[in-house]
Amino acid sequence: MEENHLECNSVVDGNVEDVPDKKVIKFNPPLYRQRYEFVKNLVAQHEPKKVADLGCGDVFLLRMLKYQKCLEELVGVDINEEKFKWHGCKLSACVGDHLYPRELDLIITLYQGSVLEKDCRLVGFDMVTCIELIEHFDSEDLAKFPEVVFGYMSPAMIVISTPNSDFNSLFPYSDFRDLDHKFEWSRMEFQTWALDVANRYNYSVEFTGVGEPPSGAEDVGYCTQIGIFHRKAQATEPDISEQQGQHVYQVAYTTSYPSLQQIKYRRRVVVYETYREVHRMRRKYKMGLTWCELEADPEDSDNPRRKFTSDLPSPQPLKEAEKSTEMTPKPFCIGDKFYVPLERIIAYPKVKHLCGNVEELRALIADAVELNCSGSAVQVDLDHYADC
């Protein structure tokens, strides 16, 4: 299980009294935060879709990762179900997630169970993290760990962090950093174990860490040592057919996030973006009436069709979004109604990204936005109550 933040801070980052010969080392940000930031940066760099955190504890890492746009599935596994009861709800979607939906679907699931058990729902992930986990295993469990994680789960990337005992000489105590630790490895011991595991399961590994030592003590290395394992290319992907049906973990919590892949949220965002662009153009048109001449449409003297201000030379350089609309039909006004062709609206990059074509745009907004009789343009009042 992940070490408790308060315990970690009290031992590694906290205050220690009556120690005259050694200074207390404080990390800023706290060491646990540096570890999680390291993983978050790896996710941002490699853009995995599916990430599992083994020994997820208080789910703090999952809470940080849920904002990564690339993710579609987040899983946490821990043997301590009590932590899920207290912290699982922190993973739920908030009001802001509904107002500004994600681009991709995201499902978060917490499983109660031992990370040393094989469950087929953990097979095939892009990244598996084990942050301050392995030092809690006795020798028998440590021997089982590689077969489950590297052999059975076989993710594309595995991140393992563990205390660096070489750094412990700088602390004002000689015991392990946590009472539950069964061992703490030196850099040589960790690298020997990691290279052996990587060789057995066809992975490469690189070493780094977080928690830099103070000036003059660089030879002890990072406070936390980290191994990053990458599965080597294989002729065929691991066969998981024989692993189907092995569900040994208990689902302790699950939630899903609103996304633009879900039609109701995409429709709402498209309607909002459409109204925003239409009223922006309407306001621009009305501002132009104070200094632009009105040109009557010679074919219809009863309903003057006024020129949109973007038809006139502009002294200001066009923005990128405006450049994309230059070749599309211009907005126009007939009587007290202002019209914006759908072809104009969909030329704006964000609307184009959400819809793809005019037909899809029309279908998404038809029930919420007033269209002209031909369904080719959005129609609004030229004088809007919001202008008052």
Side-chain angles (χ1 to χ4, degrees):
M1 64 179 177
E2 166 66 358
E3 62 186 349
N4 182 276
H5 294 167
L6 294 178
E7 291 178 0
C8 174
N9 289 340
S10 65
V11 174
V12 179
D13 303 320
N15 296 319
V16 179
E17 298 179 355
D18 301 326
V19 185
D21 55 332
K22 291 187 179 181
K23 293 182 178 180
V24 175
I25 297 175
K26 290 180 177 290
F27 294 98
N28 186 24
L31 195 57
Y32 80 88
R33 186 77 186 221
Q34 292 187 42
R35 291 192 286 260
Y36 292 160
E37 289 287 345
F38 180 89
V39 174
K40 186 183 78 170
N41 292 337
L42 271 184
V43 170
Q45 176 185 351
H46 294 278
E47 298 187 339
K49 293 183 178 180
K50 300 172 63 176
V51 173
D53 183 30
L54 306 184
C56 62
D58 61 8
V59 307
F60 194 93
L61 177 57
L62 299 181
R63 289 165 57 194
M64 291 178 64
L65 294 182
K66 71 177 185 175
Y67 297 107
Q68 298 296 306
K69 296 178 180 179
C70 61
L71 291 174
E72 298 181 38
E73 183 175 359
L74 268 177
V75 165
V77 180
D78 202 285
I79 200 167
N80 189 341
E81 188 177 11
E82 282 299 313
K83 290 186 177 181
F84 292 158
K85 292 180 180 179
W86 288 102
H87 300 290
C89 61
K90 298 176 182 177
L91 295 170
S92 298
C94 62
V95 174
D97 296 313
H98 290 270
L99 293 175
Y100 305 99
R102 294 168 48 88
E103 178 75 21
L104 301 173
D105 288 330
L106 174 63
I107 297 176
I108 302 178
T109 306
L110 299 179
Y111 292 118
Q112 188 272 325
S114 169
V115 300
L116 300 174
E117 295 181 293
K118 297 178 179 180
D119 189 303
C120 67
R121 291 168 292 186
L122 271 290
V123 173
F125 273 61
D126 301 305
M127 180 186 290
V128 167
T129 62
C130 308
I131 307 303
E132 305 300 280
L133 172 68
I134 61 173
E135 63 271 13
H136 294 271
F137 295 149
D138 59 27
S139 57
E140 182 178 347
D141 288 341
L142 183 64
K144 296 177 183 177
F145 174 79
E147 170 55 28
V148 175
V149 178
F150 290 83
Y152 183 81
M153 296 181 186
S154 191
M157 183 184 302
I158 302 171
V159 183
I160 297 177
S161 82
T162 192
N164 168 23
S165 66
D166 294 333
F167 197 100
N168 289 355
S169 62
L170 302 180
F171 291 138
Y173 56 85
S174 58
D175 295 330
F176 291 159
R177 301 180 194 178
D178 188 287
L179 295 177
D180 190 56
H181 288 184
K182 305 302 188 293
F183 62 88
E184 289 181 2
W185 276 335
S186 68
R187 286 166 292 173
M188 181 64 70
E189 290 171 320
F190 176 56
Q191 292 177 21
T192 299
W193 175 84
L195 287 167
D196 175 66
V197 170
N199 183 59
R200 276 190 284 149
Y201 294 98
N202 199 35
Y203 280 78
S204 63
V205 60
E206 56 186 293
F207 300 100
T208 183
V210 295
E212 294 187 355
S215 177
E218 290 83 1
D219 60 316
V220 302
Y222 293 105
C223 187
T224 293
Q225 52 188 333
I226 299 174
I228 306 170
F229 300 79
H230 295 270
R231 193 180 66 218
K232 295 179 181 179
Q234 303 180 54
T236 58
E237 289 297 311
D239 181 13
I240 64 171
S241 59
E242 63 181 23
Q243 300 163 356
Q244 298 298 324
Q246 299 178 21
H247 293 185
V248 298
Y249 297 152
Q250 299 296 316
V251 177
Y253 178 84
T254 186
T255 187
S256 60
Y257 275 63
S259 84
L260 298 177
Q261 305 304 312
Q262 301 162 31
I263 188 64
K264 67 176 181 179
Y265 292 106
R266 186 162 79 251
R267 176 181 288 114
R268 191 177 68 193
V269 173
V270 169
V271 168
Y272 168 78
E273 290 296 329
T274 297
Y275 268 126
R276 191 170 73 92
E277 292 300 337
V278 167
H279 286 292
R280 182 186 63 80
M281 287 183 271
R282 182 189 62 82
R283 288 192 299 270
K284 183 178 179 181
Y285 174 81
K286 289 198 68 178
M287 289 173 60
L289 291 180
T290 63
W291 58 274
C292 291
E293 288 187 358
L294 302 181
E295 293 186 350
D297 189 334
E299 297 180 0
D300 190 352
S301 58
D302 293 329
N303 290 296
R305 184 179 174 112
R306 303 184 179 95
K307 179 182 282 188
F308 186 54
T309 52
S310 67
D311 292 350
L312 301 171
S314 173
Q316 300 296 327
L318 293 175
K319 297 179 181 179
E320 286 300 318
E322 292 173 330
K323 289 180 181 179
S324 65
T325 66
E326 283 304 289
M327 301 303 293
T328 61
K330 302 291 191 291
F332 57 90
C333 186
I334 300 178
D336 61 351
K337 297 295 183 181
F338 183 71
Y339 299 86
V340 182
L342 297 187
E343 291 183 44
R344 182 86 172 189
I345 296 171
I346 203 169
Y348 284 87
K350 188 165 186 179
V351 180
K352 178 71 173 178
H353 173 71
L354 292 167
C355 298
N357 56 61
V358 170
E359 290 72 24
E360 186 177 354
L361 171 61
R362 183 185 297 113
L364 286 171
I365 67 175
D367 293 337
V369 175
E370 185 176 3
L371 302 176
N372 63 353
C373 58
S374 65
S376 62
V378 174
Q379 170 185 314
V380 296
D381 292 334
L382 179 61
D383 295 309
H384 194 264
Y385 69 90
D387 297 330
C388 300

